[in-house]
Every structure is written in C-alpha cells, then in structure tokens.
Amino acid sequence: MKYILLLLSSCLALGCTSNTDNSSKKYLLQGVWTLRQMDHPAGSTKTFAETEETLLRLYDGDSVMYQYWLTRAETGLSIRPIGQQRVVLFDKGNGELLYMEDDSPCPLTVKDDSTIVIQQDGVLHYWHCADDIANEWSSEIREIMAADMQQGNRGDQRCYMLSPKERRQASYIQWLLASIAIIITLAVSNYVVSRRRRQQLQLQLRQIQEVQQERPQVVRQAIESVEAAYFVSDEYQALQRRISTGSMLKDNDWLTIESQIKKVYPGFSSQLRNLHAMSELEYQVCLLIKLRIAPSDIAVVLARDASTISTVRSRLYKKVFGQKGGAKEWDEFVLSIGT
C-alpha cells in the first residue's frame, strides 16, 4: 500500500502543478491553524469552542507541519507538542487541491479566506486560520517543538504555557540583565581608565618631585633670583594695582598674566594642564595662586564667594592626588611646580 501511495504522489507531482515554487506565489497553508469542527460520515458533528482543548497546527510553507494540543486560558495558551511531520500540497487545477500527510492523500478544500477543510479517513476536518496566535507566538511555538524533539520527542507528556505576562517578565528580565551588563562594563571601563589616569598622575608627580630634588643649588638660586626680580617689577606692581581696584579681569588681563607667568615659570601651564583637565575657573584660580594673589582678592576679581574659591582649591587637590586635602595644601603644590 505504501508503494502505491508513493507512486500516486509521484504521478501527481508530474501531472499537477506542485506548490514548491517559492519565488512566485504565496503558500496556502503558511501560518497557524486550529481545529474547529469535525464532520463524521455517519452524520455526527464535533465542534471545538475556544475554551476547549483542540488541535493546533503550525505550517512552515506547505511542506512542514508542527502539531500540538491547544488549550486557551485567560492567562495565555497551554500547548502540548505532538510532533513534526512532512506534508505535500498538490494543485491539480480547477480549484482542486490534494493534501498528503504521512503518505496519505486527502482532498483539501478552501472554504473561505479563514477556513480550509481536509478530508481524512472520511472525516471532514475544519481548520480555522489563527492569525492572532501566529502573530504573537509563532517563534515560541517553533522553539518549543525543537526543544521537545531534542529532549527525546516525548510529545504530549510535556506542557508549555505561553503567557503575555510571562513574556513581559522575560523581556523585563532580559532588559534588566542587559542593563546590568552595560553598567558593569562601564564601571569596569571607568575603573580601568581611572586607574590608568591615577598611574599617569603619580608618574607625573614623581617626575616633578625628582626634577625639584635633583635641581642643582646654582639653578635654584637663579630661579629664586628671577622670581624676586619679577615680584618687584613694574609689571607685577601694575597687576597688583589692577587687582586692587576690585573689578573683574578681562580677556586682555588674562593674556598679560599668562605671558608674565611663562617668562618666570616656563613649564607651569603645561605641567598644570597635564595633571588635570581643568575648567576655565580652576585654571584662572591656579594662575592667580602662582602670582601670590591672596584668596580674598581672587574671589573679588573672579566674582565668586571666598568659600567657592576655597572649594575649588581643595577639590583640585583631591582630583589630582586622589585623597582629601585642604586649599592651602593645593596652594603649596601650585607654588612648587613650573620652575
């Protein structure tokens, strides 16, 4: 009998238009179908309400079918895998279709846009297109069948619940895990960058200290002489008079200050900026500290409170040295570099 059926299917394949041309037409069976009604030859009819257990089929094209027991509930869908089967659909022309499942040819009729009828063993099976399930759960249904088959194809012994609430929870968990992974990655990255930055700062500070410690006495005396000459110069006195007026310093004033500092302390600005990416306010405070301007006067010419200037200095010390320090400690450090 099996060989006769195989021969019949071969003849139909040669004499009929087969549904195997994927490029030019839409698959008829593609999607999800649920069994709604069975008409028996004796005249009895069995219908399946949405709340009852019934059969569900998911077709991949017109060649592969996954079958399950389906029960709808308020919380979602309960499905039990039955198995996977190869199917064949032949178009004999004139609207006649022949459906083969397990080498058994069955007439197939398209009743309307949402219902097909397959006659198997004399029983008419009415399958209703379930687009709602297809759109919502197609990928999960395929995954369940694949997992079930990998675990021994135990069929309806295993039951799976497809719940929108559980999906939202799973999506939230995935989002949460992804967010945690991103946070951990950023934290590790920031730690690595911060550690590298601290190492660079420590190296720069050691180099500054070594230069100062190894500086010959003659050089030290020359630097002190240049400093002493500058602080009694007309340029410095003019700057002091400008600051004593209490008015804010303008762009030209800052250019003059930077020019004077470069003459007396050639390496100051570059060493300072290499230690920390300073804001304009932080940089200006350091310039005035280097010129021995009192913190109270710094606050006046920068139009800031004295407490703000103190906070800027102590904050700079912590950023550069990685530990708490006072404003005076930062001032002492600023006075020690650049020469």
Side-chain angles (χ1 to χ4, degrees), residues 12 15-17 90-98:
L12 288 170
C16 306
T17 302
F90 294 102
D91 186 350
K92 298 175 15 178
N94 297 322
E96 295 186 37
L97 300 169
L98 185 66

Side-chain angles (χ1 to χ4, degrees), residues 141-195:
I141 292 173
R142 288 186 178 90
E143 291 171 2
I144 286 172
M145 181 61 75
D148 193 76
M149 294 180 66
Q150 288 179 355
Q151 296 175 10
N153 194 20
R154 287 177 282 180
D156 59 3
Q157 296 178 7
R158 298 177 62 82
C159 183
Y160 301 87
M161 190 68 191
L162 302 179
S163 169
K165 181 179 179 180
E166 292 181 0
R167 170 184 277 178
R168 289 193 297 269
Q169 291 176 342
S171 299
Y172 173 75
I173 291 173
Q174 290 178 351
W175 172 85
L176 184 61
L177 291 175
S179 299
I180 292 173
I182 292 173
I183 291 172
I184 292 175
T185 301
L186 291 175
V188 171
S189 177
N190 289 337
Y191 171 77
V192 172
V193 172
S194 178
R195 182 179 179 182

Side-chain angles (χ1 to χ4, degrees), residues 18 42 54 94 250 253 273 292 310 338:
S18 176
T54 186
N94 297 322
K250 298 180 180 179
D253 296 322
R273 289 193 179 278
R292 313 300 198 272
S310 178

Side-chain angles (χ1 to χ4, degrees), residues 130-146:
D131 287 336
D132 58 333
I133 298 177
N135 295 333
E136 183 81 9
W137 301 109
S138 288
S139 59
E140 285 87 345
I141 292 173
R142 288 186 178 90
E143 291 171 2
I144 286 172
M145 181 61 75

